[in-house]
Amino acid sequence: MKNLFEKIDIHRILKYALFMLLSLILQNMVLSHIRPLGVCPMILPAAAVAVGMFEGGTWGPIFGLIMGILADMAFVEHTVFFTLLLPILAFVSAFVSQFFINRRFFAFMGVTLIALFVTAMLQMLKTLAGDVWSGYMLSTVILQTLWSLPLSAAAYFPPAKWIK
């Protein structure tokens, strides 16, 4: 048991907890009110991808799970959407960065672009399940992905700086 606590770096966990808290505050209190062309930018998938890339397949999904639970509590329209999605995004980004890509900024932006697109598509499919098909749904997916990408670039730098 003592060995387990020696392996856990409490300073790093506190840094990631602060990163998670700031990401959630930015998403819920700032970005949810900025809606150009009716779309809300998302930075939570980028935060999950960043932690997954730099912390690996164990701590990344744990971070994504905790952030997903808190995000689902903040978003009224979602029940378990982010709780399921963010750990999966963190794990996939950890796997891809472990075996296929490097952990540089442009690789992060590529993985984040895919994660943002998947998030927007799943949100569209969830809306489509309870509503009628509209061509505007695809334009909303594209606009949300493109609007979220520049803001997601900031999620790369804290985990990249904290890695040893």
Side-chain angles (χ1 to χ4, degrees):
M1 189 68 160
K2 184 179 177 184
N3 238 356
L4 175 67
F5 290 117
E6 288 176 1
K7 291 181 182 180
I8 295 176
D9 186 8
I10 193 71
H11 293 291
R12 191 168 68 183
I13 290 173
L14 291 175
K15 287 178 187 177
Y16 282 114
L18 180 64
F19 179 64
M20 177 176 55
L21 180 67
L22 291 176
S23 298
L24 286 166
I25 287 172
L26 181 65
Q27 180 68 54
N28 294 330
M29 294 185 167
V30 178
L31 296 179
S32 64
H33 299 291
I34 302 172
R35 294 180 179 258
L37 301 174
V39 294
C40 178
M42 296 291 297
I43 61 162
L44 298 180
V49 166
V51 176
M53 283 182 81
F54 290 107
E55 288 300 318
T58 303
W59 285 106
I62 290 172
F63 170 82
L65 179 67
I66 294 169
M67 190 166 65
I69 290 169
L70 294 174
D72 281 333
M73 289 184 345
F75 289 106
V76 179
E77 63 271 6
H78 299 295
T79 51
V80 293
F81 179 72
F82 287 115
T83 304
L84 296 174
L85 180 66
L86 294 180
I88 292 170
L89 291 177
F91 181 77
V92 169
S93 66
F95 179 78
V96 167
S97 71
Q98 181 73 31
F99 296 110
F100 299 111
I101 62 171
N102 58 16
R103 293 180 175 122
R104 304 286 179 161
F105 179 72
F106 290 111
F108 165 78
M109 291 303 288
V111 174
T112 300
L113 176 66
I114 294 168
L116 290 170
F117 184 73
V118 166
T119 302
M121 286 296 291
L122 289 175
Q123 286 175 328
M124 181 192 75
L125 292 175
K126 184 177 180 232
T127 304
L128 187 63
D131 204 5
V132 182
W133 167 256
S134 172
Y136 292 112
M137 288 182 175
L138 288 177
S139 65
T140 302
V141 166
I142 293 169
L143 283 174
Q144 179 178 338
T145 303
L146 294 178
W147 176 235
S148 300
L149 195 60
L151 299 171
S152 299
Y156 171 80
F157 297 106
K161 184 179 179 185
W162 297 332
I163 198 71
K164 294 178 183 178

